[in-house]
Amino acid sequence: MKNTFIGANYFLDEDIIKSVSTHLIVNKKFIYKNPYHEDFTKLFFHDIRKKLNSLSLEYPNFDEWLKCKVFPGLFNGEREILIEHRQGKIVGLAIVKNNLMEKKICCLRVLPKFQNRGIGIKMFIKSMEILDTDKPLLSISENNILKFKKIMDYFNFKQYEKYLGLYKENTKEISYNGYLE
């Protein structure tokens, strides 16, 4: 078994890294295979929250969702985080939910400095591979529809429903490829 160094005394078994090129998938197996998983987990969660902090403005309960749903979901195998990186720096993140009831892209963000370079399309493709579907459930705030229009058209995602005030007061959340629970 060969180990790969990922920094700060953290090593991963190569079978945990599903793609060694530019992305890493953090899931239950990743966390428990890491011999320093408790320390790593604390640092990792802090870093993820920091990278996604801007979403707190669009989704007022975003931080609570990360702490109460996403992070526990990593441990029980229901969620995975796709980390897109370039030269050791995180450039994008996707959070997927994969259980019997839902195959959902919950969150996908490319950091502003790296947008409009095809990274978002690549992350959508990898997320769909993880979920084993070409029509994952997802939703987008009406404030971001224009940002995602090309991607929705590219994958032929179909709009299903508009939910007023679902995540933010007086703002519509639009679901694609299915209805939100």
Side-chain angles (χ1 to χ4, degrees):
M1 181 182 317
K2 188 175 176 190
N3 290 321
T4 302
F5 179 69
I6 63 166
N9 298 321
Y10 298 108
F11 291 86
L12 300 175
D13 295 338
E14 284 200 350
D15 66 340
I16 295 172
I17 300 174
K18 293 184 179 174
S19 175
V20 294
S21 58
T22 59
H23 47 264
L24 173 71
I25 299 169
V26 176
N27 55 22
K28 182 178 182 177
K29 185 176 179 181
F30 172 94
I31 291 170
Y32 288 112
K33 285 277 189 165
N34 189 315
Y36 304 99
H37 78 269
E38 289 177 12
D39 292 334
F40 174 79
T41 302
K42 288 176 191 170
L43 292 171
F44 174 74
F45 290 169
H46 175 75
D47 197 36
I48 294 299
R49 286 170 55 201
K50 188 175 166 185
K51 295 287 186 214
L52 296 175
N53 189 42
S54 66
L55 291 176
S56 295
L57 300 174
E58 294 176 50
Y59 298 100
N61 296 319
F62 188 79
D63 196 52
E64 182 180 331
W65 173 74
L66 280 175
K67 285 189 269 185
C68 298
K69 299 280 187 180
V70 175
F71 298 150
L74 290 172
F75 287 94
N76 70 26
E78 184 176 84
R79 297 185 194 259
E80 298 185 36
I81 298 177
L82 170 64
I83 301 172
E84 190 71 24
H85 58 88
R86 299 290 185 279
Q87 300 167 340
K89 294 186 192 278
I90 294 174
V91 300
L93 297 161
I95 299 170
V96 299
K97 181 179 181 183
N98 194 3
N99 64 28
L100 295 174
M101 301 297 287
E102 282 185 316
K103 292 188 173 290
K104 182 178 182 183
I105 299 175
C106 301
C107 175
L108 191 147
R109 285 293 184 259
V110 176
L111 299 180
K113 183 175 162 182
F114 299 95
Q115 291 176 358
N116 300 311
R117 298 182 187 184
I119 293 171
I121 295 278
K122 183 178 179 182
M123 291 179 67
F124 265 93
I125 291 169
K126 190 64 185 170
S127 295
M128 289 185 288
E129 287 174 10
I130 292 167
L131 295 170
D132 194 28
T133 183
D134 62 348
K135 298 293 183 222
L137 178 63
L138 62 111
S139 68
I140 300 171
S141 167
E142 68 181 338
N143 299 331
N144 290 318
I145 287 295
L146 291 178
K147 287 182 191 176
F148 286 94
K149 182 175 179 359
K150 287 182 186 176
I151 291 174
M152 298 301 108
D153 292 345
Y154 181 87
F155 290 112
N156 198 28
F157 288 168
K158 301 293 181 206
Q159 190 178 108
Y160 267 65
E161 190 66 63
K162 295 179 182 179
Y163 303 86
L164 181 61
L166 181 65
Y167 298 123
K168 187 173 182 181
E169 193 175 328
N170 299 319
T171 303
K172 290 178 187 166
E173 190 73 13
I174 298 138
S175 71
Y176 288 82
N177 304 325
Y179 298 100
L180 301 176
E181 293 180 2

